[in-house]
C-alpha cells in the first residue's frame, strides 16, 4: 500500500479533485507532528500538503493565519491554496517555495549562515505593531504549561543536559530562569536551518511558520544557533551572530529560549 494511501482516502472532496494525477512524496526532515507531502505532476506546479489531527494543540490553523499575514508583509513564504477541516484532520494545501532547505542542499557553511542572518534581519525589521500574534513570554510560558499538563511534551526528545528530567521539572527551571526583559521583534519562532529555503544561493522563503509571533529576538537566534551547532558545527555560531549584527548576543537568553523550545 502506498505510504499516503490512508491520507488520500480521507481527503476532502475539494482536495481529492485538485490533486488528481499528483504523485505524493512524504517529507521527513524537521520535527513537525504533521504529515507533510511534496506533490508533483507533469506540467503542474509543485505543491505541499500538510495534515494533522485537529484538536487543542493543532498547529495548522496557526500556520495558515501566519502565512497569509507574512505574505502580505513582503516576506517570501508558501501561499495558502486550500485549508479545510475534514474527518478529524486539518488539511493545508500550499505552494512550494523555490529551491531546497538549507540542510537538504549542499551549501558552504559561510553561505548558509549569511542567508540565515540576512533573512532574520529582514523579518525582524517588520513593525511589531502590525503583527497580531503575541508570543511574548507570558503567553508562551502559559502554553508551555498547558502542553506539559496535557502530556504533549516529548521528554525523550529533551536536549542532552535535560534528558531524564520530567516536563514538570523542566517547567520549574523555565519559571526560575525567566529573563527580566524582552527585546521584541516579529520572530519566526522556529528558526532552524530546515525552515530557511534557498535557490541558487539566494534566500527564497521561510517554511513551517506556525510559531511566528512577536517575541524577543533571542527566540530566533537561540534556535538558529542550536541548528547551526547541530548541522554545521559550533565554530559557525560566532560568525552567524556577527553577520546578524549582534555579536554580543545574551548567552543566558540564548540558553533560555532553547529551554523554552523543549515544550514545543
Amino acid at each position: 500500500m502506498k505510504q499516503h494511501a490512508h491520507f488520500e482516502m480521507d481527503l476532502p472532496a475539494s482536495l481529492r479533485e485538485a490533486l488528481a494525477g499528483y504523485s505524493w512524496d512524504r517529507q521527513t526532515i524537521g520535527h513537525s507532528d504533521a504529515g507533510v507531502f511534496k506533490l508533483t505532476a507533469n506540467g503542474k506546479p509543485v505543491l505541499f500538503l500538510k495534515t494533522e489531527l485537529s484538536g487543542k494543540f493543532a498547529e495548522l490553523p496557526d500556520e495558515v493565519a501566519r502565512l497569509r499575514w507574512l505574505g502580505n508583509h513582503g516576506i517570501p513564504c508558501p501561499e495558502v491554496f486550500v485549508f479545510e477541516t475534514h474527518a478529524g484532520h486539518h488539511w493545508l494545501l500550499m505552494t512550494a517555495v523555490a529551491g531546497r532547505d538549507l540542510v537538504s542542499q549542499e551549501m558552504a557553511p559561510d553561505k548558509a549562515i549569511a542567508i540565515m542572518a540576512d533573512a532574520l534581519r529582514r523579518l525582524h525589521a517588520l513593525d511589531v505593531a502590525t503583527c497580531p500574534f503575541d508570543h511574548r513570554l507570558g503567553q508562551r510560558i502559559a502554553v508551555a504549561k498547558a502542553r506539559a499538563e496535557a502530556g504533549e511534551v516529548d521528554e525523550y526528545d529533551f536536549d542532552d543536559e535535560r534528558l531524564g528530567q520530567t516536563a514538570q521539572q523542566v517547567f520549574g527551571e523555565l519559571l526560575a530562569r525567566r529573563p527580566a526583559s524582552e527585546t521584541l521583534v516579529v520572530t519566526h519562532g522556529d528558526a532552524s536551518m530546515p525552515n530557511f529555503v534557498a535557490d541558487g544561493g539566494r534566500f527564497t522563503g521561510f517554511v513551517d511558520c506556525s510559531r511566528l509571533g512577536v517575541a524577543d529576538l533571542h527566540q530566533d537566534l537561540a534556535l538558529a544557533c542550536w541548528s547551526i551547532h547541530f548541522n554545521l558545527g559550533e565554530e559557525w555560531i560566532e560568525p552567524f551572530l556577527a553577520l546578524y549584527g549582534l555579536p554580543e548576543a545574551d548567552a543566558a537568553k540564548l540558553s533560555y529560549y532553547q529551554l523554552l523550545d523543549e515544550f514545543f
Side-chain angles (χ1 to χ4, degrees):
M1 177 180 283
K2 291 181 181 177
Q3 192 173 36
H4 68 273
H6 69 289
F7 287 112
E8 202 169 20
M9 286 188 299
D10 290 336
L11 274 177
S14 60
L15 285 177
R16 195 177 300 120
E17 197 173 307
L19 299 181
Y22 272 90
S23 298
W24 297 47
D25 178 25
R26 186 154 199 172
Q27 307 294 289
T28 55
I29 194 159
H31 301 285
S32 172
D33 289 332
V36 183
F37 299 90
K38 184 178 183 180
L39 307 173
T40 55
N42 286 334
K44 294 185 178 182
V46 177
L47 302 174
F48 277 87
L49 178 69
K50 284 188 174 185
T51 181
E52 67 175 355
L53 285 169
S54 56
K56 181 179 179 182
F57 297 107
E59 291 197 325
L60 290 186
D62 291 340
E63 180 151 22
V64 170
R66 284 152 177 79
L67 289 176
R68 287 174 172 157
W69 183 87
L70 201 54
N72 286 333
H73 285 77
I75 303 292
C77 63
E79 180 185 347
V80 175
F81 271 171
V82 178
F83 178 67
E84 286 201 28
T85 302
H86 172 77
H89 282 75
H90 295 307
W91 304 85
L92 169 58
L93 181 66
M94 54 194 168
T95 59
V97 174
R100 299 172 69 190
D101 72 81
L102 294 184
V103 173
S104 297
Q105 62 179 291
E106 292 290 324
M107 181 180 286
D110 60 335
K111 185 66 177 174
I113 63 169
I115 286 172
M116 293 173 72
D118 288 346
L120 287 178
R121 276 208 318 273
R122 181 174 167 189
L123 177 65
H124 293 174
L126 294 179
D127 181 0
V128 295
T130 67
C131 182
F133 312 113
D134 179 11
H135 283 199
R136 288 173 294 176
L137 278 177
Q139 194 272 354
R140 294 310 270 170
I141 289 172
V143 176
K145 183 173 190 283
R147 288 179 58 83
E149 289 174 348
E152 291 286 321
V153 177
D154 185 356
E155 295 170 346
Y156 296 101
D157 193 41
F158 282 165
D159 292 342
D160 289 348
E161 65 266 34
R162 286 179 278 274
L163 274 179
Q165 296 185 46
T166 67
Q168 290 302 329
Q169 287 173 316
V170 177
F171 185 74
E173 184 183 354
L174 192 69
L175 292 180
R177 290 177 52 192
R178 178 175 176 168
S181 65
E182 294 172 84
T183 304
L184 298 176
V185 298
V186 177
T187 65
H188 178 279
D190 188 8
S192 56
M193 290 183 67
N195 293 335
F196 294 75
V197 180
D199 192 31
R202 292 179 176 273
F203 176 71
T204 48
F206 288 109
V207 296
D208 286 350
C209 299
S210 64
R211 299 174 190 172
L212 180 140
V214 175
D216 189 296
L217 58 84
H218 289 82
Q219 164 70 49
D220 279 349
L221 298 184
L223 299 198
C225 288
W226 186 93
S227 190
I228 288 167
H229 169 81
F230 181 80
N231 290 290
L232 302 178
E234 183 82 23
E235 66 272 20
W236 292 102
I237 290 176
E238 197 173 307
F240 161 73
L241 291 172
L243 285 167
Y244 173 81
L246 199 65
E248 301 301 321
D250 186 326
K253 279 191 174 182
L254 293 177
S255 172
Y256 184 82
Y257 283 94
Q258 290 166 2
L259 169 66
L260 176 63
D261 190 58
E262 300 282 32
F263 294 86
F264 294 92

